[in-house]
Each structure stands twice: as C-alpha cells, then as structure tokens.
Amino acid sequence: MIRENLEKVRENIVQACERAGRSPEDVTLIAVSKTKPVEMIMEAYQAGVRDFGENKVQEMMDKIPQLPSDIRWHMIGHLQRNKVKYLIGKAAMIHSVDSLRLAEEISREAVKQNTVMKILIEVNAAGEESKFGVSPAETEALVRAAAGLPGIRVCGLMTIAPLTENPENNRIFFKILKNLSVDIEGKNIDNVHMACMSMGMTGDYETACEEGATFVRVGTGIFGERSWQI
C-alpha cells in the first residue's frame, strides 16, 4: 500500500510542477512518519524515500538508531527549547523555528557541538490562534536576528496552512509565504538563503507545489490514517 501511495503522491507532484512550469526535481517529498512504526518507515525507505518528518523529539530519537543512517530527519513539530540539545547533529533541518529564544538555544547547542544547524522560520501565514509561528509582518525581523547567531544557517520559511476540504482555500497562504521569501531574498541579508519553502500537506501539497514549495510534508497520503496508539 505504501509503495502505491508514494507512486501516486510523486505523480501528483510531477503534474503540479508541470502545471506551474517548475521542475519536479525542485520539490523534496518529506514522508511524515510521526506515530508510524519502524516497519512502515522502512517500507517507504525501500520505495526510495530518504526524507522523513517527525513532530516529537523523543520519537525521532527512538527511531534514528533503528533505521538506515542515510535518512534525513526533519523536525517539523513545535519545538521546546529544553529538547533542542537532542536534535543537534541528528536532524538535517529544523522547520519550526518560531521565536528568537528558540533560535538562540539552537545556536548555543550547535556551537557547543561545533556544527551548523539548518533552520526554517515558521510563519503563521493564516493568522490562526491555534498555530505557532510568527506573523508575516514579524518574519523579516526574526530572520535577521536568527541569521546573526553563530551555528545557524537560515535556509528559508515554513508554514502550516489551515485544514480545509478545498485546497484552493490555502493558495493565498502559500502565495504569502512565496512573496515573503522573494522579498527577504531580495534584501541580501548575510547568512540568509531563501532557497527552501516548506509548505503543503496531504490535503493541499499539489497547490503548494504550484505556488513554489520546495518541501512538501505528506503523512496520511503515504501511510494512511494516523494511529494514535503508538
């Protein structure tokens, strides 16, 4: 089932990119493996997936030693500062940096471990009270502040769009992220590269691809409905 689901998702990404005049090579599919057992993750791995996304630090730490070392792990959930130290050197990228205090903690731990951590700034493009992330108006200030910290590389932006039956409803939020990205890139801020846009999930990743996503985060579309027992 997972292999077939992956083929469908990949085909949808190709078609969405063709509609937008983009190369599908510019989009990385992140399989959201939160709550999924190692066996299912291995199935996706054997079908060619190398990028996996987790929401909880402890779950990621438990899975890493059980799975192939060439997997790139992405932290896509809300991150508490006291958990940062576990991620440095293990996660390929942290997508959910939503405050300067969190960026400072990442910087401290990265310097301690003599490494550079790739991060994305999380933007609450829809202004939902239930979501984390800075407002579009506050994004550039956080980008500038984070980029000035040692041990951090600001690689772009991330957003979580509202849950909706109609993916067209979220196009406006993907456009907001794209416009922000272009605007910030144009300011040539030191240590800032707006190459990455992490946006789009199972319900709306095709629309996100049409609007410039470079990472799409797909869980249910690959693994099926989430299991809360794990």
Side-chain angles (χ1 to χ4, degrees):
M1 177 194 78
I2 290 173
R3 186 175 290 273
E4 289 78 7
N5 288 349
L6 270 168
E7 284 175 9
K8 180 64 178 164
V9 170
R10 286 168 172 151
E11 180 56 35
N12 289 343
I13 289 171
V14 168
Q15 290 176 0
C17 287
E18 284 176 355
R19 288 194 295 273
R22 301 181 64 204
S23 167
E25 301 294 315
D26 294 338
V27 179
T28 298
L29 172 61
I30 297 175
V32 179
S33 49
K34 60 183 180 182
T35 79
K36 299 303 175 190
V38 166
E39 295 75 23
M40 291 181 82
I41 297 172
M42 268 311 296
E43 230 181 297
Y45 178 89
Q46 286 161 354
V49 178
R50 292 296 179 271
D51 292 86
F52 290 88
E54 289 285 337
N55 271 43
K56 291 186 164 45
V57 173
Q58 186 57 57
E59 190 175 343
M60 186 191 288
M61 294 305 105
D62 290 345
K63 288 173 176 175
I64 287 173
Q66 302 181 65
L67 287 154
S69 60
D70 63 337
I71 285 177
R72 291 177 292 271
W73 293 95
H74 298 259
M75 181 63 196
I76 60 175
H78 180 62
L79 179 56
Q80 295 170 306
R81 295 195 307 281
N82 63 350
K83 300 285 179 64
V84 166
K85 59 181 176 284
Y86 303 109
L87 282 181
I88 306 301
K90 299 282 177 56
M93 184 176 281
I94 298 172
H95 290 231
S96 47
V97 177
D98 58 1
S99 71
L100 181 56
R101 290 178 73 193
L102 176 58
E104 287 169 344
E105 186 62 30
I106 293 168
S107 170
R108 267 193 295 275
E109 291 296 335
V111 168
K112 208 183 286 184
Q113 297 191 33
N114 195 29
T115 189
V116 175
M117 189 72 231
K118 294 180 179 179
I119 68 165
L120 304 180
I121 300 300
E122 182 172 359
V123 182
N124 188 349
E128 291 184 283
E129 285 187 16
S130 61
K131 296 268 173 66
F132 294 100
V134 292
S135 70
E138 299 167 318
T139 301
E140 184 184 329
L142 180 54
V143 165
R144 286 181 180 275
L149 298 169
I152 276 182
R153 181 170 300 136
V154 179
C155 297
L157 307 175
M158 177 267 229
T159 197
I160 300 173
L163 282 174
T164 178
E165 291 291 315
N166 181 4
E168 276 302 313
N169 294 338
N170 284 340
R171 191 178 293 276
I172 184 172
F173 306 121
F174 300 147
K175 284 181 182 292
I176 287 170
L177 204 74
K178 175 66 174 177
N179 290 340
L180 264 177
S181 174
V182 169
D183 185 45
I184 293 169
E185 181 69 29
K187 296 188 175 174
N188 295 317
I189 304 164
D190 284 349
N191 194 31
V192 172
H193 309 279
M194 288 283 119
C196 300
M197 277 202 301
S198 175
M199 60 187 194
M201 301 192 292
T202 293
D204 55 18
Y205 67 88
E206 294 169 74
T207 306
C209 287
E210 291 171 1
E211 294 301 332
T214 64
F215 289 112
V216 292
R217 311 177 304 267
V218 180
T220 304
I222 294 170
F223 295 108
E225 287 303 320
R226 195 176 305 159
S227 163
W228 294 106
Q229 285 74 50
I230 295 168

